[in-house]
Amino acid sequence: MRNTCCMCTFRSGLSDCISLVETINKCTLIPHNLPSVTEGEAQDLTYTMALEDDWLFDSIKKYKTLHMYDLHKPVQASDWLSSDRLVVATSDEKKHELLELSLPAQICVQEDSANGLTKDRDFQLVNGGFTDSSIISLHHLGQSVDTGQDYRKVLACVRGDNSVETWQLGSEDGNLIEKIGDLCSKNSTCHSAKLCVLDAHRLMFGSHLSSISVGDINTQQTVADTRDCQQDIMISNMLLYDTCVLTSGLVSGELFLLDPRSRNITVEQVTNTCSSRETWTLCGDKSQTVVLQMCSSGDIHVRDCRNLKHCVNSVQTKLQQAEPGEITLSICPTNPDLVAVTGVDGCVQIYDRSKWGDTEVVTPVFVHQGHIADREDQSQVILTSQHLWYPWKQGTLLSAASDGSLHIFHPIL
């Protein structure tokens, strides 16, 4: 089913010659029925289009594939459901939606497959629903270990509340996404929760060390909490670390290990405070061998999971967050040397850790500038809101920005 009211519009695909010609024509041709403009406005328009043309033709040499779409509302959160399905939360501060989308067929084909026209060149709306609040993070529950059947459920953290919502995706009997539960922390706050799925039935969530809980997804009841913790420290995102969960202070950077194996979650501080003037985020690789921490001033700390207290490397990226928002840092699941960063500006930065060595200041091996190059008004401030690596095709990413643009690309590194 193709949605006509809230779906995205195809913008370009450089691997498809016809799509490329269509995109070039869209960028360079000016309709004759435009309203009259002043000489200064015409010069600004010509300059803007020249920038778009330069970036478009330059991108042919930098991308294996590039797909650009526009949604009616900016994407606030997303997660993969499968190799051909994606769930996104969109919001324009007035209306909030949760959408299940099927990916265009050309994105899903393998690199060694024959190039050419494919059946579906647009995202297709599979299921959808409205939400009461803006969702800022999503986590797909995945498949049952016993039966292999997809649970068809997603967990959602909402803005301004440290509870976690459970949503049931639509089925063959209906295409409506519905909320089926709320997990509330013992100590509620007005800050959004972070979450970490422990197993098929439990998750850990909370906004501060003193408000962290473990919830049962099936019963929607909390089964453990940090009842004895007196540290009212706001936390950044959570990572599964062996039998524990690793998190850090959002504005202080110190690492904490949370042990959920008893009703009283124990909290162990692993490292000292890094800074009190910046915000911090962290990520880990798929094999749980390395942890990266990044602060809003652009510093990245590398830690070995065998000894988290010791920082094995520290580099500067020259990135500095210009607009308020949350930095997203992630390691490529198919190549752990590649690290992507969004939320600093309107670009997606990709770094290669294998090239860092003893260098103190590092530069990205690739910068995706499509979100800012394709904007209609060059004075418009655009911030990348998030990104996801596509696990089924090496080196492919999805990125979203505050103007509603949604890009999927495979850079040449």
Side-chain angles (χ1 to χ4, degrees), residues 3 5-7 71-77 87-92 94-100 125 128-135 138 167 177:
N3 181 16
C5 62
C6 60
M7 277 305 301
L71 274 69
H72 288 207
K73 300 180 182 66
V75 173
Q76 305 293 322
V87 60
V88 299
T90 66
S91 173
D92 61 1
K94 295 180 181 179
K95 289 185 179 180
H96 319 291
E97 295 174 316
L98 195 57
L99 309 173
E100 179 183 353
L125 177 65
F130 291 101
T131 66
D132 294 330
S133 305
S134 175
I135 293 175
L138 287 168
W167 289 80
I177 299 178

Side-chain angles (χ1 to χ4, degrees), residues 98-343:
L98 195 57
L99 309 173
E100 179 183 353
L101 310 176
S102 65
L103 272 65
Q106 192 172 16
I107 295 174
C108 305
V109 298
Q110 296 302 313
E111 294 179 5
D112 55 358
S113 300
N115 289 326
L117 295 178
T118 51
K119 181 177 63 174
D120 296 322
R121 295 169 60 193
D122 265 347
F123 278 105
Q124 302 288 322
L125 177 65
V126 181
N127 298 298
F130 291 101
T131 66
D132 294 330
S133 305
S134 175
I135 293 175
I136 64 166
S137 71
L138 287 168
H139 188 97
H140 175 226
L141 282 180
Q143 297 178 335
S144 168
V145 177
D146 299 326
T147 65
Q149 184 179 4
D150 195 320
Y151 289 112
R152 299 287 295 163
K153 294 178 182 178
V154 291
L155 303 173
C157 297
V158 299
R159 191 178 305 279
D161 188 352
N162 68 340
S163 63
V164 174
E165 300 176 346
T166 304
W167 289 80
Q168 181 72 58
L169 300 176
S171 62
E172 296 179 357
D173 300 328
N175 58 2
L176 184 64
I177 299 178
E178 298 179 293
K179 187 170 73 169
I180 59 174
D182 278 293
L183 270 169
C184 299
S185 173
K186 184 177 181 180
N187 299 322
S188 62
T189 71
C190 60
H191 297 92
S192 302
K194 311 297 182 181
L195 71 84
C196 178
V197 174
L198 303 176
D199 51 45
H201 307 290
R202 298 180 306 146
L203 75 150
M204 180 179 287
F205 66 101
S207 60
H208 296 69
L209 285 180
S210 58
S211 70
I212 291 176
S213 300
V214 171
D216 187 300
I217 299 170
N218 295 326
T219 65
Q220 294 291 299
Q221 299 293 320
T222 57
V223 295
D225 54 55
T226 51
R227 62 188 67 184
D228 294 335
C229 181
Q230 303 300 319
Q231 295 175 284
D232 194 33
I233 297 175
M234 189 179 297
I235 61 172
S236 68
N237 45 319
M238 297 178 174
L239 300 177
L240 193 61
Y241 179 79
D242 197 13
T243 58
C244 298
V245 171
L246 183 68
T247 188
S248 72
L250 181 64
V251 295
S252 49
E254 67 265 55
L255 292 176
F256 297 94
L257 274 178
L258 311 171
D259 191 339
R261 289 175 291 182
S262 66
R263 289 192 59 84
N264 184 12
I265 301 172
T266 59
V267 180
E268 176 189 355
Q269 183 170 340
V270 180
T271 63
N272 296 324
T273 300
C274 296
S275 170
S276 59
R277 300 184 304 275
E278 296 155 345
T279 58
W280 289 81
T281 187
L282 77 161
C283 71
D285 64 341
K286 189 176 181 180
S287 60
Q288 296 186 9
T289 58
V290 66
V291 170
L292 303 183
Q293 280 185 280
M294 183 176 183
C295 67
S296 53
S297 63
D299 293 348
I300 297 179
H301 296 173
V302 183
R303 298 182 185 274
D304 191 321
C305 286
R306 293 169 297 183
N307 184 9
L308 290 172
K309 295 182 179 180
H310 177 58
C311 181
V312 298
N313 195 7
S314 181
V315 296
Q316 294 178 322
T317 64
K318 291 186 177 180
L319 295 177
Q320 191 160 3
Q321 195 172 24
E323 296 292 328
E326 186 166 332
I327 296 175
T328 304
L329 178 73
S330 70
I331 297 176
C332 177
T334 57
N335 182 356
D337 286 330
L338 297 181
V339 180
V341 180
T342 50

Side-chain angles (χ1 to χ4, degrees), residues 63 65-67 348 350 366 368 395-397 399 407-411:
Y63 296 85
T65 56
L66 171 62
H67 307 267
V348 182
I350 300 177
F366 189 88
H368 174 60
T396 299
L397 292 95
S399 62
H407 295 177
I408 300 179
F409 60 95
H410 187 166

